[in-house]
């Protein structure tokens, strides 16, 4: 099990490049199920969740080929030979987003057996709204032995109003609607940029969609879709994580290959906290810490509000800000797993229900800490970059799910970070009392 060893205290200086968005790549890969032609996606991040999705497609009989390029990786998906519309538990249990294949499988093949995704560290993560929408469109869905069994002759367009705003729920049902008979009107949709990214791909494949990226999406179903080549968005959460890395280390960092229009809430909050943020162009932002950081509250909301996927990273920054910052998590019921680990490094944080009170600035000292989920991992790396001494961060496989070559990217701008794999484990074996 790999660990990161990070020695804190180095300001990050230079240019760091953002990879493609994992949360765009996953639904866009699922969209390839909707056609018998080849779909090529560019700017695909080499992260573990993409590999998991590739394994899922292979298990269903589809062909997925990665082409590693100099500056961009692309993936070609051919679902012509997809013969087994079953998403098995062994894969789904490692990545909930596998449930994104449910809508497209039913839309294209009229049937799907998808393992009910379990919860994860941050919450129960039900998919009842995905199921409800498909049933409204005429699917019959039963649950047996841990699998959702969905059957439908041909889905019919319907008027869907989401009880709660759900990103993958919007994406799953959008993919179901594009091949359904007639018109589908979807209201109270998620407005995250990843939804618009998916809709742009589907449109390139011949779908008829209006309103993607807004709360109301209208779809005219078509009888078939054709292949396409599409470049996905840069990852706005990776970009936000790097902005905080530059700020927390007191560096001077240029974050390149991002989309600044997707970072509004994050950039305005960093400015409120006293960080110098300069948009140098549509895809480039410069971040510098100008003097002391100021406390500023955040409350996570659906897009375009402050993203829940940036809450843990912002909390690490708040530990260094002068004053009291209130961090309120409104989207998931258990997304404070990073708090206790930050406290072990010397942070002053108290949790009461969905709000964490962060008092700063706190002098952080290096410690042995453990990742619990993807964004909590990023929070611990950010804290270790500013903590005094050498931190050891365990279970970094959580981070590898959504951050491409993170140690190479951070080292290239001055971070002292090393990945310790078997060597480290062997040393531990030799001295089992080692921490
Ligand atoms: C997507 O998850 C992202 N994942 C998450 O990113 C992100 O945190 C989340 O949206 C919120 O922005 C992908 O896009 C692959 P939701 P998703 O459905 O779609 C409840 C990361 O770190 N809900 O928008 O699963 C749910 O419990 C990951 O990259 C239902 O009750 O999240 C939650 O409280 C973590 N029933 C709220 O809605 C449903 O059927 C929002 O969840 C669906 C959701």
């Amino acid at each position: 099990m790999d660990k990161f060893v990070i020695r804190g205290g180095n300001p990050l200086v230079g240019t760091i490049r953002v990879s493609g968005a994992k949360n765009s790549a996953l639904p866009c890969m699922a969209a390839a199920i909707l056609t018998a032609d080849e779909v090529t996606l560019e700017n695909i991040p080499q992260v573990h969740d993409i590999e998991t999705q590739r394994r899922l497609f292979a298990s269903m009989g589809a062909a997925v080929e990665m082409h590693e390029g100099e500056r961009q990786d692309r993936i070609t998906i051919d679902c012509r030979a997809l013969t087994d519309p079953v998403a098995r538990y062994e894969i789904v249990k490692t990545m909930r987003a596998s449930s994104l294949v449910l809508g497209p499988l039913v839309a294209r093949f009229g049937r799907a057996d998808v393992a009910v995704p379990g919860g994860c560290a941050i919450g129960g993560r039900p998919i009842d709204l995905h199921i409800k929408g498909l049933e409204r469109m005429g699917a019959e869905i039963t649950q047996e032995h841990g699998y959702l069994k969905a059957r439908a002759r041909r889905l019919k367009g319907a008027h869907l109003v989401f009880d709660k705003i759900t990103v993958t729920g919007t994406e799953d049902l959008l993919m179901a609607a594009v091949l359904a008979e007639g018109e589908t009107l979807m209201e109270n949709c998620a407005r995250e940029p990843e939804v618009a990214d998916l809709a742009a791909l589907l449109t390139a494949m011949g779908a008829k969609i209006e309103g993607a990226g807004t709360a109301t999406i209208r779809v005219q179903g078509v009888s078939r879709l054709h292949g396409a080549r599409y470049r996905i968005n840069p990852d706005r959460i990776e970009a936000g994580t790097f902005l905080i890395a530059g700020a927390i280390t007191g560096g001077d960092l240029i974050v390149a290959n991002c989309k600044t229009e997707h970072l509004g809430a994050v950039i305005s909050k960093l400015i409120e906290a006293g960080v110098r943020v300069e948009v140098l162009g549509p895809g480039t932002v410069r971040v510098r810490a100008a003097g002391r950081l100021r406390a500023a509250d955040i409350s996570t909301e659906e897009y375009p509000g402050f993203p829940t996927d940036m809450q843990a990273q912002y909390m690490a920054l708040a530990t260094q800000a002068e004053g009291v910052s209130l961090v309120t998590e409104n989207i998931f019921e258990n997304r404070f797993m990073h708090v206790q680990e930050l406290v072990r490094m010397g942070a002053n944080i108290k949790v009461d229900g969905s709000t964490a009170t962060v008092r700063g600035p706190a002098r952080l000292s290096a410690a042995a800490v453990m990742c619990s989920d993807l964004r909590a991992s990023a929070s611990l790396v950010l804290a270790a970059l500013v903590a005094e001494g050498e931190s050891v961060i365990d279970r970094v496989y959580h981070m590898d799910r959504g951050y491409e070559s993170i140690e190479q990217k951070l080292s290239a701008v001055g971070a002292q970070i090393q990945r310790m794999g078997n060597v480290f484990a062997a040393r531990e074996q030799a001295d089992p009392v080692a921490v």
Side-chain angles (χ1 to χ4, degrees):
M1 213 177 283
D2 285 3
K3 303 171 193 269
F4 281 152
V5 177
I6 298 178
R7 176 164 290 282
N10 293 20
L12 300 191
V13 179
T15 299
I16 194 164
R17 233 179 102 76
V18 175
S19 300
K22 159 182 88 82
N23 290 350
S24 282
L26 293 171
C28 286
M29 287 173 72
I33 292 170
L34 294 164
T35 177
D37 297 347
E38 235 181 42
V39 172
T40 297
L41 301 172
E42 296 175 348
N43 200 29
I44 293 293
Q46 296 304 305
V47 296
H48 199 258
D49 274 7
I50 300 301
E51 174 52 24
T52 303
Q53 188 89 320
R54 189 198 62 72
R55 283 192 299 115
L56 171 63
F57 275 67
S59 72
M60 296 191 289
V64 182
E65 217 183 318
M66 288 302 297
H67 311 272
E68 294 181 20
E70 219 292 286
R71 295 290 291 264
Q72 66 169 20
D73 296 307
R74 67 180 198 285
I75 194 167
T76 303
I77 303 170
D78 182 339
C79 292
R80 216 184 313 259
L82 194 158
T83 50
D84 190 14
V86 178
R88 287 178 176 70
Y89 179 62
E90 292 65 35
I91 295 181
V92 174
K93 72 181 177 187
T94 66
M95 184 180 70
R96 307 184 51 269
S98 318
S99 56
L100 272 166
V101 300
L102 180 61
L105 285 174
V106 179
R108 171 101 188 285
F109 299 102
R111 64 189 179 92
D113 290 358
V114 174
V116 180
C120 70
I122 65 176
R125 313 292 298 276
I127 60 167
D128 57 309
L129 301 179
H130 301 229
I131 294 166
K132 201 167 157 185
L134 285 171
E135 288 175 334
R136 287 275 294 114
M137 298 174 78
E140 277 171 32
I141 301 181
T142 55
Q143 183 168 328
E144 272 169 45
H145 311 304
Y147 279 77
L148 291 172
K149 293 179 173 306
R151 301 294 181 266
R153 252 187 314 289
R154 186 179 179 197
L155 292 174
K156 290 195 176 17
H159 179 194
L160 309 177
V161 184
F162 287 98
D163 298 342
K164 282 181 85 165
I165 294 175
T166 160
V167 176
T168 49
T170 301
E171 293 164 346
D172 208 2
L173 291 163
L174 176 58
M175 289 189 278
V178 295
L179 286 183
E181 192 179 336
E183 178 179 274
T184 298
L185 176 63
M186 299 164 64
E187 293 188 280
N188 200 26
C189 299
R191 294 182 281 167
E192 272 68 4
E194 292 74 38
V195 175
D197 226 358
L198 170 64
L201 166 63
L202 291 168
T203 303
M205 293 166 68
K208 296 191 179 344
I209 302 168
E210 285 166 20
T214 74
T216 302
I217 300 177
R218 195 181 290 274
V219 182
Q220 301 301 331
V222 294
S223 53
R224 68 178 291 280
L225 293 179
H226 50 72
R229 173 185 278 263
Y230 181 74
R231 182 180 178 79
I232 65 165
N233 276 334
D235 192 315
R236 61 191 169 97
I237 304 301
E238 186 190 19
T241 305
F242 291 151
L243 289 176
I244 291 184
I248 202 170
T249 59
D252 182 349
L253 195 62
I254 292 183
V255 178
N257 188 45
C258 62
K259 275 198 172 175
T260 48
E261 70 265 29
H262 294 162
L263 287 162
V266 173
I267 288 176
S268 65
K269 188 54 68 178
L270 292 180
I271 291 170
E272 185 186 335
V275 178
R276 277 180 69 186
V277 182
E278 223 179 315
V279 176
L280 303 179
T284 312
V285 191
R286 182 179 182 188
V287 61
R288 283 173 283 176
R292 300 199 67 81
L293 294 166
R294 294 189 296 269
D297 299 345
I298 62 163
S299 180
T300 63
E301 302 295 342
E302 294 87 359
Y303 191 88
F306 192 92
T308 175
D309 291 352
M310 282 296 302
Q311 177 258 105
Q313 299 92 307
Y314 180 80
M315 193 183 287
L317 184 71
T319 68
Q320 302 305 298
E322 201 151 293
V324 178
S325 306
L326 298 181
V327 175
T328 303
E329 173 55 55
N330 298 307
I331 307 293
F332 290 110
E333 61 268 31
N334 187 34
R335 204 166 199 177
F336 285 146
M337 304 281 277
H338 43 286
V339 169
Q340 283 321 313
E341 299 304 292
L342 293 174
V343 167
R344 298 191 62 248
M345 298 175 84
N348 180 344
I349 307 171
K350 297 263 180 313
V351 173
D352 178 8
S354 62
T355 297
T357 302
V358 186
R359 287 183 170 77
R363 195 181 61 74
L364 298 183
S365 61
V369 290
M370 192 172 324
C371 302
S372 53
D373 57 85
L374 171 54
R375 306 305 172 181
S377 323
S379 177
L380 300 183
V381 167
L382 292 168
L385 288 173
V386 72
E388 206 178 298
E390 190 173 81
S391 297
V392 177
I393 301 182
D394 201 354
R395 301 191 178 177
V396 295
Y397 61 82
H398 287 289
M399 191 145 197
D400 292 337
R401 293 189 52 174
Y403 286 90
E404 182 179 45
S405 315
I406 187 69
E407 70 269 33
Q408 289 87 345
K409 289 187 180 185
L410 291 175
S411 309
V413 288
Q416 279 190 276
I417 176 172
Q418 256 195 319
R419 179 184 292 260
M420 304 306 278
N422 304 332
V423 167
F424 199 93
R427 205 165 85 194
E428 263 187 327
Q429 243 69 47
D431 172 11
V433 294
V435 288

